Amino acid sequence: MTRVGPPVEQDVKTAWWSLPRIVDRRVIWLAWASFIVEVVLIGTGGLVRLTASGLGCPTWPKCTAYSLVSTPEMGVHGLIEFGNRLLTFVLVVVAIAVFLAVVRMRRTRPELFWLAFAQGAAIPVQAVIGGISVWSSLNPFVVGLHFVVSAALTSVTAALVYRALHGPLTGVRLVPRWYVGVVRGAVAAVVGTVLIGILTTGSGPHAGASETVDGGRLHRTGFDTGVMEHLHAIPAYVLFALTLVLVIGAVRLRLPSKWPLMLLVVEFLQIAVGLTQARSGLPVGLVGTHMVLAGLLVAAMTAVVLATTRSAGRDAIREPLPA
């Protein structure tokens, strides 16, 4: 009888020892892939909502009560919603690959390990929230929570990319205390802008589906859209002003200014798109662009925060590698 145990065990050991022990090109590419997939999912999630395909698959986890996938009878809305669900499996594959790429560095680069773990752990949470949003006929507060988690994941994956490229923190602050205070104020403004923006979208015309619920209109927040748009603009303009302070301060103090400049560019685009969409009746394309830019805004803010502390370099480790 042929013994299969030892060869299989040897294959497992070979696969384990082939995993990265330091940050190499594989780790960097996978970190970027995890970030890109999260941003793409924000875009496709927006597409589902803005094409009124939120109930294209009226059940969860199946697409219909009798089918796991969309059926021809469900039309284009079923295809769009099911396509968005399929992208989650792409994210799962990427998240697993990232985790495997850093698992052997769990002691030498623990920040990479825990960031990868956080992304993977959030996937089932997102899936459950997505299911609840379908079961609740796209309750705007549940759908909004879905976006909050997505925005948080863009921050996590942006941090993963930054740490993979620049190494772990050293604890040495690169900027004066007042600059840190402005950065913290900008973080608060980003949080306020995103949260109020979610409520603003939840009060507008894009409910996520064309059907009615219980013989009436689809769930909306009930807030006045015009009032919400003005409230949404307040933290956005505060953020813009604080970012100008960060850019000018970085130039005058001769600090690295690329991250504040990137944040400023994203904000400029976000404000331009936001004003245009509000004055043109909230066209689908602009609203979708605004949603994607919100994810990029969170990512850019994450980079600005991380850049206030010196990094040890990509090849730095926390302790000697095991022999």
Side-chain angles (χ1 to χ4, degrees):
M1 181 180 294
T2 303
R3 297 181 63 186
V4 296
V8 171
E9 183 179 348
Q10 184 62 38
D11 289 343
V12 172
K13 289 182 177 179
T14 301
W16 171 259
W17 291 110
S18 66
L19 296 176
R21 299 177 67 194
I22 60 173
V23 175
D24 58 19
R25 189 173 299 178
R26 293 172 294 176
V27 177
I28 293 173
W29 278 102
L30 285 170
W32 273 112
S34 67
F35 172 71
I36 291 170
V37 171
E38 292 290 354
V39 175
V40 169
L41 276 170
I42 289 178
T44 58
L47 179 66
V48 169
R49 181 170 192 162
L50 298 170
T51 58
S53 302
L55 296 177
C57 289
T59 63
W60 186 90
K62 292 183 177 181
C63 194
T64 72
Y66 306 102
S67 176
L68 183 63
V69 302
S70 61
T71 62
E73 294 77 16
M74 301 170 68
V76 66
H77 294 312
L79 287 174
I80 292 174
E81 166 62 9
F82 184 69
N84 185 61
R85 293 187 184 188
L86 282 180
L87 276 178
T88 301
F89 292 100
V90 176
L91 177 60
V92 169
V93 171
V94 172
I96 291 173
V98 172
F99 184 79
L100 291 176
V102 301
V103 68
R104 288 190 66 199
M105 293 182 273
R106 62 192 183 280
R107 292 188 177 89
T108 58
R109 294 295 302 275
E111 77 284 1
L112 296 181
F113 174 83
W114 288 113
L115 287 169
F117 178 84
Q119 184 191 20
I123 293 175
V125 175
Q126 276 287 66
V128 170
I129 295 174
I132 295 173
S133 68
V134 172
W135 294 337
S136 63
S137 299
L138 305 182
N139 182 290
F141 297 104
V142 179
V143 175
L145 179 61
H146 205 36
F147 188 88
V148 168
V149 178
S150 293
L153 284 173
T154 61
S155 178
V156 168
T157 53
L160 183 64
V161 172
Y162 190 95
R163 286 281 153 253
L165 291 172
H166 299 283
L169 294 174
T170 63
V172 178
R173 193 174 69 244
L174 293 173
V175 298
R177 289 186 181 276
W178 70 263
Y179 196 93
V180 174
V182 177
V183 169
R184 290 174 178 172
V187 170
V190 166
V191 173
T193 300
V194 171
L195 291 180
I196 298 176
I198 291 170
L199 294 176
T200 303
T201 302
S203 66
H206 300 295
S210 57
E211 295 85 356
T212 57
V213 178
D214 297 330
R217 298 179 61 189
L218 283 160
H219 293 303
R220 310 308 291 137
T221 62
F223 302 140
D224 182 271
T225 304
V227 172
M228 293 306 300
E229 287 176 353
H230 288 296
L231 289 176
H232 178 47
I234 294 173
Y237 286 127
V238 170
L239 173 61
F240 191 74
L242 291 175
T243 304
L244 284 175
V245 173
L246 293 177
V247 171
I248 295 172
V251 172
R252 296 200 55 148
L253 295 172
R254 297 182 180 180
L255 301 171
S257 59
K258 64 178 180 179
W259 300 118
L261 278 172
M262 181 180 296
L263 178 63
L264 187 66
V265 169
V266 174
E267 290 169 14
F268 180 81
L269 293 173
Q270 187 75 310
I271 290 172
V273 171
L275 290 174
T276 304
Q277 71 174 14
R279 294 173 180 177
S280 57
L282 300 176
V284 168
L286 289 180
V287 176
T289 301
H290 202 57
M291 294 175 67
V292 173
L293 284 171
L296 296 178
L297 177 72
V298 173
M301 188 72 252
T302 300
V304 170
V305 172
L306 294 174
T308 60
T309 305
R310 186 184 302 278
S311 298
R314 193 180 86 179
D315 298 327
I317 57 175
R318 295 291 180 88
E319 60 186 48
L321 287 166

